[in-house]
Amino acid sequence: MPVIRTLPPAAAPIYCRDILAGMLGLVRGQRELNRFELEIKKYFGAKHCFLVSSGKAALTLILEALKDIHPCRNQVLIPAFICYSVPSAIVRAGLKVRLCDIGPKTLDFDFGRLSKILSQYLPSGTDEAAGSNRLLAVISAHLFGLPADVDHVRELAKCQDAVIVEDAAQAMGTERRGRKSGMLGDVSFFSLGRGKALSAMEGGIILTDRQDIAGRMAARLADVPDYNVFELIRLVVNVILLSLFMHPSLFWFPKLFPFLRIGDTIYDPGFKIRKMSSFQAGLARGWQDKLKKFKKIREINSRLWSTLIKNSKDYDLLSKMDSNFIRFPVKVHNASVRNNILMESKRNGLGIMPTYPDSIDGIQELRDDFKGMEFPVAKEYCNRLITLPVHPYVTENDRRRIAALISQTDLGIEKCWNKR
Ligand SMILES: *Cc1c(COP(=O)(O)O)cnc(C)c1O
């Protein structure tokens, strides 16, 4: 691979001063974690907040807490198109994955199908011990920052009394009709992983207003270990490397090492679960300002991609394109156009990427659970979707090069370039 400017598909910069704040956080210990927790609660208006080592750790603890509340229930319903961390966490919590296809014009549930699937579960209140209703939770996810219709899920699942878990891993700082993502479900989580809206290398935040869930969560979390010294040193070193190498002038370098699995989506229930360290809480210092600043930049870039795509017949926008994206999703009609774009992007380091390699039923380890079932829309999205970068490292020159590739002909771009 030649040494060229290479854009990551998504990035939330970590600056030198953030790393210093992280070090200071290490020294301040629990006080730093308390500060972060308090700021989060205040900003979101949430009654309870818990800080852990990743989004998947957060989801696992949420599901374990819910299992404590409903010990006879063991199924979790999720969209068939979602990050592999979600089924990983469900299996880690000792629960069963159930799938529902997504809508053809959204990245949200196909609500007609969701309603049918839910009707297969008996209403709650029937004898729980007999296992007549085994549906524990439905997970609604805001993919790429596109807000999902959590209220609709709640409405449909009311009868089954399923807990609505909001996967806001990719949506910290987004809103839907004036309500903040993270406050729409019974319980929700954010991720502070690489490539999310805000990054501390790794980290997870759990929010809930429900006293029963918070009580179980606190009990579960009491048994979760802290990062040990070696893990902490590794984390600090990785954050320093990440803050350097996510810069486009150096990002070609980590991509040389396939074992780093940069950008890979992997299914693996064997991840570590820790309490968040004060280093991560320190790194996040000033997160409201950072989030606001990144949002502004991402919105400007998203608006540009939106205009560009609207003028082209080769692509489809998803509905509700006025969102605060962390990567801008675009559906490409023609497979060979898509392959060409991905190949050219790779060659020129433009940061245009596919999303998930397959729908959840295609994951090797889970395949047997979904024999004979089909999720055609989720499959189609895996084969047709690409994302354009919108993060703060994208420059005017990058935008021009991406636009030229996307529009294939240079006719369309000049028009929308001038209209900006
Ligand atoms: C990233 C992500 C997760 C998991 O978060 P990690 O911090 O990477 O464990 C869960 N759900 C979605 C939709 C995600 O994008």
Side-chain angles (χ1 to χ4, degrees), residues 140-188:
S140 178
H142 312 296
L143 296 181
F144 312 111
L146 193 67
D149 194 347
V150 182
D151 289 340
H152 199 168
V153 178
R154 185 191 298 285
E155 193 55 43
L156 293 178
K158 201 187 258 167
C159 195
Q160 286 73 21
D161 185 35
V163 180
I164 311 301
V165 178
E166 188 187 350
D167 177 345
Q170 304 187 14
M172 195 173 183
T174 71
E175 291 185 1
R176 186 186 160 88
R177 297 191 190 125
R179 286 159 66 207
K180 290 191 168 73
S181 298
M183 292 309 289
L184 307 174
D186 293 310
V187 52
S188 73

Side-chain angles (χ1 to χ4, degrees), residues 8 50 66 125 133 181 364 383 389 410:
F50 303 92
L66 298 182
N133 178 9
S181 298
Q364 190 88 44
N383 294 323
D410 285 357

Side-chain angles (χ1 to χ4, degrees), residues 37 60 98-99 103 125 199 253 276 297 309 346 364 368:
E37 194 184 304
T60 307
R98 287 288 169 263
L99 298 178
S199 177
F253 183 71
M276 185 182 281
I297 296 167
I309 297 302
K346 193 170 179 186
Q364 190 88 44
D368 289 346

Side-chain angles (χ1 to χ4, degrees), residues 11 25 53 61 66 102-103 114 126 135 144 179 184 238 263 295 320 345 359 372 397 411 419:
S53 55
L61 287 164
L66 298 182
I102 56 171
L114 181 66
T126 40
L135 184 64
F144 312 111
R179 286 159 66 207
L184 307 174
N238 280 341
K295 177 180 172 179
K320 305 178 284 188
S345 166
S359 50
N397 194 38
L411 275 170
K419 253 203 312 210

Side-chain angles (χ1 to χ4, degrees), residues 53-59 82-86 141-144 167-170 189-196 201-204 271 326 356:
S53 55
S54 69
K56 37 192 176 292
L59 180 56
I82 200 166
C83 175
Y84 287 12
S85 298
V86 173
H142 312 296
L143 296 181
F144 312 111
D167 177 345
Q170 304 187 14
F189 69 97
F190 299 116
S191 163
L192 298 180
R194 291 183 285 134
K196 309 292 180 176
M201 177 86 199
E202 58 189 36
F271 50 87
I326 53 170
Y356 307 124

Side-chain angles (χ1 to χ4, degrees), residues 314-381:
D314 286 329
Y315 313 99
D316 250 350
L317 283 175
L318 303 160
S319 55
K320 305 178 284 188
M321 289 315 265
D322 52 348
S323 302
N324 175 9
F325 292 100
I326 53 170
R327 301 158 66 162
F328 190 86
V330 175
K331 199 169 155 199
V332 190
H333 295 314
N334 182 302
S336 74
V337 170
R338 180 176 181 267
N339 288 341
N340 182 53
I341 288 174
L342 291 173
M343 222 169 57
E344 285 299 310
S345 166
K346 193 170 179 186
R347 223 160 55 91
N348 297 298
L350 299 179
I352 304 172
M353 292 283 171
T355 59
Y356 307 124
D358 200 349
S359 50
I360 299 302
D361 58 301
I363 295 174
Q364 190 88 44
E365 293 88 335
L366 300 176
R367 229 168 246 175
D368 289 346
D369 292 345
F370 305 105
K371 272 210 178 105
M373 297 183 214
E374 294 200 28
F375 306 94
V377 182
K379 281 256 185 305
E380 182 183 300
Y381 270 98

